[in-house]
């Protein structure tokens, strides 16, 4: 089974507790279970991780670049200002899908810009935990395309 990493940035482990009117009531543990199931449905072995540390997230992206592993990434607040994370993501050669639970474009102005989008294969935002399901669905096709073109 091909491996997919689902990586989450700061505060995402607070899902279900943190601003439920914005991010929903599904807990982080439930998100992990759902992603594992959705991945398996698409034929992937999904590993879900979360960190509040920019350095740790960057080290995971470096490892994904070295192993050509596809990534679904919710960069959380790093989305809006981490050029270091963007530079790491630019090194990925397998597909990268950026996801957001909320729709940052419909929120405060500082959330309108993503420094990650320009180096992602695409972005899915605004559908709560279903953003991750859609990202994993889309990866099936993206991986098939990238394998065909090799
Ligand atoms: C988020 C949106 C970001 O603006 C915010 O900082 C987050 C979560 C989302 O999933 O909607 O932490 O990435």
């Amino acid at each position: 089974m091909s491996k997919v990493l689902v990586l989450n940035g700061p505060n995402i482990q607070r899902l279900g507790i943190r601003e439920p009117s914005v991010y929903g009531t599904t807990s982080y543990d439930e998100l992990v279970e759902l992603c594992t199931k959705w991945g398996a449905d698409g034929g992937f072995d999904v590993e879900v991780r979360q960190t509040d540390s920019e350095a740790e997230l960057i080290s995971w992206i470096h490892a994904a670049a070295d192993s050509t592993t596809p990534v679904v990434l919710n960069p959380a607040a790093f989305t809006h200002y981490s050029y270091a994370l963007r530079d790491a993501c630019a090194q990925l050669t397998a597909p990268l899908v950026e996801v957001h639970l909320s729709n940052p474009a419909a929120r405060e102005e500082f959330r309108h810009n993503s420094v990650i989008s320009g180096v992602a294969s695409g972005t899915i935002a605004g559908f709560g935990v279903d953003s991750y399901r859609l990202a994993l669905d889309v990866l099936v096709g993206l991986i098939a395309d990238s394998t065909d073109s090799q």
Side-chain angles (χ1 to χ4, degrees), residues 10-12 18 23 74-77 79-80 99-104 107 111:
N11 298 301
I12 301 296
R18 171 195 188 200
Y23 297 113
N74 185 344
T79 306
H80 312 299
V99 296
H100 299 283
L101 295 144
S102 67
N103 177 3
R107 299 181 61 198
R111 297 185 202 274

Side-chain angles (χ1 to χ4, degrees), residues 13-147:
Q13 83 281 35
R14 306 278 302 161
L15 209 55
I17 309 164
R18 171 195 188 200
E19 299 178 81
S21 60
V22 178
Y23 297 113
T25 52
T26 304
S27 70
Y28 176 72
D29 287 349
E30 287 166 339
L31 175 70
V32 172
E33 245 179 67
L34 286 168
C35 287
T36 308
K37 185 198 164 300
W38 290 328
D41 291 347
F44 300 130
D45 173 16
V46 168
E47 188 181 338
V48 187
R49 299 183 200 157
Q50 187 279 332
T51 181
D52 291 336
S53 155
E54 187 178 20
E56 187 170 36
L57 188 52
I58 288 170
S59 75
W60 291 344
I61 297 287
H62 289 167
D66 290 345
S67 57
T68 333
T69 304
V71 176
V72 172
L73 174 64
N74 185 344
F78 294 146
T79 306
H80 312 299
Y81 66 88
S82 177
Y83 297 124
L85 182 60
R86 178 198 164 99
D87 286 349
C89 289
Q91 298 169 45
L92 294 167
T93 50
L96 167 67
V97 182
E98 177 186 355
V99 296
H100 299 283
L101 295 144
S102 67
N103 177 3
R107 299 181 61 198
E108 303 95 317
E109 196 158 348
F110 75 89
R111 297 185 202 274
H112 293 182
N113 186 46
S114 166
V115 300
I116 307 299
S117 295
V119 293
S121 310
T123 302
I124 298 171
F127 302 105
V129 292
D130 274 340
S131 292
Y132 290 76
R133 182 177 57 74
L134 295 167
L136 288 164
D137 275 0
V138 111
L139 263 188
V140 177
L142 288 175
I143 291 169
D145 289 351
S146 65
T147 316

